[in-house]
Structure formats: structure tokens, C-alpha cells
Amino acid sequence: MEMQQIIEQAEQNIRQALQDYRRYTTQTEGLDDVSDTFIRNLARDSSLTKQELRKLFSRSPVWDEKLDALVINGTRTHDPDYDRVRSLAIKILHPAIERAETDKDRYYKLYNAIDFFSYPYNGCMQEAGIQALNEIAPKAYEPGRKRSRVFKALCVSLGVADETAGSSFQKLYAQFADELSAKQISFKLYVSLNPAHFLTMSNPKADSRGCTLTSCHSFNSTDHQYNNGCSGYARDNVSFIAFTVDDPDNPELLNNRKTTRQVFAYKSGNGLLLQSRMYNTSGGTHGAQGDSKLYRDLIQREISMLEGVPNLWKTYPYCGGYESCVRTAEDFGGYTDWIHAEFSGKVSIRADHEHDYRSLKVGAAGLCICCGKETSEYLYCGGEEKVCEEGMCRCYGCGEVCDERIEAYDRNGRFCLVCGDCLRIFYTRCVDCKEYCHNNYLRRLGSGEYVCAGCMEDGSYTCCGECGDYYHDEEVYSVVNEDGESAYVCRKCHEGYEACPECSTYVKIRPLFRGAMCPACEAVFEGRVPA
């Protein structure tokens, strides 16, 4: 999907989310002031800043392009495939099995130990497996110990564990542990980059159905400075939101009836994952540790699979010496709940980046819901005064009060409203998208017309290799320049080229030379290369 389509879809998602959000509440003070400027700017900013995460997530078979989210459910995670568990165990322990071929008693005990992991519901095999483990690796098995750790201890005891980063053992063991811990889930977990889901991360207050999972981020409340964090999270390049809803078959509930949610942060290829506080319908982290761990495991598995590396992570409390792993933008106005020990924020580091990960910068300035400009507190740029300093009847350009304002895009390509005078002086209509854009956001074409940077980025324009002007792709010609390199030139510059009589490639006319033969054909003609 092209970026302009992603932006347009994000805008539609935001509008639908706000409509769903206000459906059951009478507390609409802030929602009534949400402007087109805010919606368009947030849609554009979020779509652009989340590009790297979107590129990563979109490789997944459970990526939902319309929702801009992963939808992880029972078809993605599954019960352990114990045939695969057995196959991987045999492959990992193969060196030890080979050494035991002359000792039949030890050979059979190794396979009894493998049966312990492969047949968890067979009582006889479990008993024989535990006995074998106690004999060949006395310190490996303990009642209640996680089976993947028992197997790891067995490998260490047998001398087949190679802890070198990226070793064959590490990769196979990661697959073994991952398969052994796989479980079917009975719910859908949405892992989203969608700005609409950030805005509605906490359910509306004064909900006629009863308030659940509300917080200082509830978007229909203007009482907290942290409301600003909703758009702030949506505008950074690392944050995504994981959540569940009351009924996944009802689309509006994604925007007004979340049952759990957490903000995560990750930078593609960095191997460092932040997991913030779990919010649920009970009001917070109490009793939610199991869900929190499951969400983290699912997301770790998905990221590792998408990056093609072993799913080996170590998880630590953020407030346990790992505070330097995360920093926040100075103008971020959201509630940084992971810095409080009682909220159990976690930092996970993947084995392949244990020593070279980089800290994450979380959050960005939010946007005023009226004028759409950056602000670091509350929903309005006027702060706790709950007003927009710009005023909804002021021109974005000159700041003067005006009766009529025209839709346009500023020097950064963000939506704005300007008066007629500013439009006439500083704005020009893009020949492609037909929108009014600030002159600094435009590039002059060789035809004398202007195209905006957004349309230029779509790849439909090419720079002439001779005069340096830009032209639409249909208005340039493929040639070989005087340096023998492939290039594109405009119609006027193309007059200085002539078709090679041998292959018809257009080449630069060179006076005193034999016509306009291309370098390849000339080399053949002169016998420098075989025909």
C-alpha cells in the first residue's frame, strides 16, 4: 500500500474511532472540539513515523492491513507439536547419542529422557524419563521446574550446549523451547500501530454501559495533563499498543470497550523490548501478571519470527537497574507508567543483541485537538485553561482572525487552514494532487508547473540527467550518456542524442566520431570485445 493510501486509511480509522468512542457517553466536552486539522495531522504524522515497525509487522501472516495491526489468535499460536519437540530434541542431542551407541544402557536412557519431553501425558514414559534424567544428568530435573530449562540443563550436563551467539545449538534450542511452550489462546490479541487505537487506548468516561478500563488517558476527559499522551504515543517511531476487547466480532468495541491494554516499544532490529503497565477492567496490575507475561511471550515470538532470529529473550524489571534502556522525549506529555516499580514495567533483551542494543526513545509531543499544533500537556495548546491559543478562527499562516479559511498543506506537508491573502502569497496548487501547498513544500517541474513533496515521493517523477529539472516519468527518455552510463533525459535534452545504428539505444551525439554508436556496439565494431 502506498504511503498516501496508508495516511488516508489512518484518517478514516480515526474518524470512525471518535464516532464509536462518543456513542455511549454524554461527556463529550473535548470530543466536540476535535478538528479536521488534528485528525489529518495525526494521521499523517503517525503513518510516517511508524514506517519501520509497519514494514516489520506487515511480514506476518496475521497482519491486518486495514486495521494497521497484527491480530494474534488461536490460529497463530498452537498446542505444542510433540513430534516436532521429539525431532528437535534428537537433533540437539545427536552428538551425545552417537557417543552412547557402544553403551546400550546409556543409549536407551537418553531416549527415555527424550520421551519425557515428547510424551507429557503418558505416565509410564514420564516416570521412566525422570529416572533416566536423574541418572544421566542428576541436577537437571526438579519437580515443578520448567521443561525447557530441564532440557537445557540436560544439554549442559551432556556437553552439547554451545552458548556462542548464533550457534546451531542456540537456534535449535530456541525452536525447541518455543515449540514446547506454545499454547492455544482463546482470545484475539490486537498488536496495533493504528493511531485510532492509541486515541482510544482507555475507554470513555461516563459510559452508559458502565465504565471499565478508564484512566488519565481517557480521551473524553480534559482534566488530566496526560490526555496528551494518546497522540504523543501515536507520533513516535517505537510505540505500539497490545489490547483485547469485550467482543472481537463487534468492530466498534475495538474503540470503546477494551478489556486489557499495554503499550510496548520496539525498534526494528534492535533486540530491546519495553513492556509498560498492564491495564485491565479491574483497574490495573493486580492479578494480571499471567496475562502480561503471555502478551509479552506472544509478541517476543512474533518479532523473533519476523526478524528470523532465535526467540531467546531475558526479561528484567525496568526498575531493577535497567532504567537507562528507555528515555522519553522532552515534550512527551503521556504518563510514563513503567518508571514506577509498583506497575511492573519490564525490559526484555534478545540474546543476539545482548551487548549492542540501543536505548529506546519513547513518546513525542502530542497535538492540540483544535489547531493541530504540537503541545506537551493536555488536549489543548492552552494547557489546563482548556482552550486553543491559536483560536479556531485564526489563519495558520498569519495568525489573524478571518472569516474564511482554505484547506492547505504547510511547509512540512501537514494539513492547515489559511486565509485568502496567505494562500495567494505563499501557496500554490500541486499539479498532481490538486491540493494547495506551501511554496517551500513544492518542487518546480521543467514544464513550469509545481508538484508537492508528497507526490514527488510516490516515485512518478524523474530528474533529467542533463538539465537537472524534474519531469513526470512519461516525459523522460532512457539514454546512454557521454560517460557510457544509463540515464534519463527530458524531451529538450533528448535532442542531443541519436539512436545507435546497431542496437537503437539513444546515445550522446559526439562530433568527429562515427555517428552515434553506443559504447557496447563500438567496442564490438573495433574488435575490443567479441561479437
Side-chain angles (χ1 to χ4, degrees), residues 186-212:
S186 59
F187 59 88
K188 287 185 179 180
L189 180 68
Y190 297 87
V191 182
S192 176
L193 306 176
N194 192 332
H197 295 153
F198 280 103
L199 289 186
T200 61
M201 66 166 65
S202 289
N203 295 330
K205 295 189 175 183
D207 192 322
S208 61
R209 299 166 297 177
C211 292
T212 60

Side-chain angles (χ1 to χ4, degrees), residues 394-462:
R394 292 183 182 274
C395 168
Y396 177 87
C398 64
E400 295 295 326
V401 174
C402 53
D403 294 329
E404 181 185 10
R405 294 177 303 160
I406 300 97
E407 295 182 357
Y409 290 85
D410 68 12
R411 64 183 67 233
N412 296 312
R414 299 176 65 204
F415 180 76
C416 62
L417 296 168
V418 297
C419 67
D421 288 339
C422 285
L423 186 78
R424 185 171 55 257
I425 299 171
F426 301 109
Y427 291 78
T428 302
R429 196 186 290 274
C430 167
V431 68
D432 199 330
C433 66
K434 312 302 181 184
E435 300 285 357
Y436 283 106
C437 301
H438 194 280
N439 293 336
N440 289 352
Y441 190 61
L442 295 166
R443 183 185 291 275
R444 189 176 187 276
L445 299 177
S447 63
E449 297 173 308
Y450 290 86
V451 65
C452 71
C455 292
M456 185 71 75
E457 289 173 3
D458 285 344
S460 300
Y461 295 86
T462 300

Side-chain angles (χ1 to χ4, degrees), residues 4 78 110 192 270 306 330-331 385 413 441 523:
Q4 188 55 42
H78 48 81
L110 278 170
S192 176
N270 190 39
L306 294 175
E330 292 181 3
D331 46 5
E385 299 298 325
Y441 190 61

Side-chain angles (χ1 to χ4, degrees), residues 277-411:
R277 173 189 180 183
M278 165 70 83
Y279 288 80
N280 59 23
T281 53
S282 299
T285 58
H286 301 296
Q289 288 82 357
D291 286 343
S292 187
K293 183 179 185 304
L294 176 56
Y295 294 1
R296 182 174 68 246
D297 289 347
L298 291 170
I299 289 169
Q300 287 174 349
R301 181 183 303 175
E302 199 73 23
I303 289 175
S304 297
M305 182 270 291
L306 294 175
E307 294 189 331
V309 295
N311 185 34
L312 295 171
W313 301 76
K314 290 183 179 179
T315 299
Y316 311 91
Y318 171 84
C319 297
Y322 290 86
E323 292 84 353
S324 62
C325 290
V326 182
R327 53 197 176 94
T328 53
E330 292 181 3
D331 46 5
F332 175 55
Y335 184 51
T336 53
D337 46 51
W338 60 87
I339 70 174
H340 302 284
E342 65 269 27
F343 294 146
S344 302
K346 296 290 191 295
V347 168
S348 298
I349 301 169
R350 200 171 58 209
D352 58 318
H353 285 285
E354 185 176 0
H355 303 295
D356 65 356
Y357 64 83
R358 295 185 179 182
S359 63
L360 297 169
K361 185 178 180 182
V362 178
L367 299 178
C368 171
I369 59 174
C370 287
C371 66
K373 288 188 176 181
E374 291 187 348
T375 181
S376 59
E377 292 181 336
Y378 297 95
L379 292 178
Y380 302 85
C381 57
E384 57 186 329
E385 299 298 325
K386 303 178 185 178
V387 296
C388 174
E389 292 180 343
E390 294 298 315
M392 289 305 292
C393 58
R394 292 183 182 274
C395 168
Y396 177 87
C398 64
E400 295 295 326
V401 174
C402 53
D403 294 329
E404 181 185 10
R405 294 177 303 160
I406 300 97
E407 295 182 357
Y409 290 85
D410 68 12
R411 64 183 67 233

